Amino acid sequence: MTWTIAPEPPGSPAAVALWRAYYTEVSDRWYLLHEGRRTDPAELERGIAATTGAELAPPTGELLIARHDGEPAGSAGVRVLDPATAELTRVFVREELRGSGGAPLLVRAAEEAARELGATRMILDTRSDLVEARALYTRLGYTETEPHNDDPYAGHWFAKDLLSRSASAPRCAAAHGPSRTVPRSAP
């Protein structure tokens, strides 16, 4: 079983399908937690359509698509906020593949893409209920910071220096650029 990660346009069929899966999951989780219901279908469609992902296209961003055994399985986006800072967004792995190593590979590939875009620091925000995401970012060397935006859904903000690579976070073989095969032995 292998993972491959490569840049794709935000409008590609795989990117659109993964955005729909990601948005549906995080929206449903929020509504179930706060209102005891799933997202209204019309509202879901409006939310999906409202964010095209254009900010994740070169030259100011990158959308990475992970494939597991050739099938679209996850995504991570990077967008440049200023000459030194990039934002990590849309980190998602299909539920049935969680725990198989895809998320750390995606984050490391996104970090490499950010470096190639000139960033020396990566920031991100996440919600309080997305405990799995917070654990992943902490495990990969991100530290919690003061808020860097006023997103009403964000409850936690993180940052990571991209200039140094720690021994605990080895460089990902599935970095930005042409697709590369990554054996399952990766963490």
Side-chain angles (χ1 to χ4, degrees):
M1 299 193 317
T2 58
W3 285 94
T4 56
I5 298 174
E8 283 197 29
S12 75
V16 170
L18 289 164
W19 169 237
R20 173 174 287 282
Y22 168 84
Y23 191 86
T24 300
E25 180 176 329
V26 296
S27 183
D28 280 351
R29 281 180 69 163
W30 191 89
Y31 278 111
L32 286 167
L33 179 66
H34 296 283
E35 296 183 13
R37 65 173 179 90
R38 294 196 179 279
T39 311
D40 174 81
E43 182 180 3
L44 183 67
E45 292 306 317
R46 283 191 305 274
I48 290 169
T51 307
T52 65
E55 73 280 7
L56 303 178
T60 59
E62 189 86 276
L63 179 64
L64 300 168
I65 300 298
R67 285 184 163 72
H68 187 262
D69 290 338
E71 295 298 317
S75 64
V78 175
R79 70 179 179 139
V80 175
L81 300 177
D82 63 48
T85 309
E87 180 182 33
L88 178 63
T89 186
R90 292 195 189 189
V91 177
F92 174 74
V93 173
R94 290 194 179 275
E95 186 175 10
E96 67 272 15
L97 292 169
R98 291 179 189 156
S100 65
L105 293 174
L106 273 163
V107 172
R108 290 184 185 126
E111 291 169 356
E112 190 60 32
R115 285 184 195 95
E116 290 180 13
L117 290 166
T120 58
R121 182 174 96 118
M122 183 84 89
I123 63 171
L124 64 95
D125 65 66
T126 192
R127 294 190 334 222
S128 294
D129 63 306
L130 300 177
V131 295
E132 308 91 339
R134 293 186 357 241
L136 170 70
Y137 301 133
T138 299
R139 194 169 63 248
L140 295 178
Y142 287 80
T143 56
E144 198 153 353
T145 65
E146 293 297 316
H148 57 257
N149 63 28
D150 59 0
D151 184 331
Y153 296 105
H156 298 269
W157 294 262
F158 292 85
K160 183 177 183 179
D161 174 8
L162 297 178
L163 291 176
S164 63
R165 289 185 172 98
S166 74
S168 64
R171 186 171 182 181
C172 174
H176 169 78
S179 176
R180 293 179 181 90
T181 301
V182 182
R184 171 53 194 105
S185 61

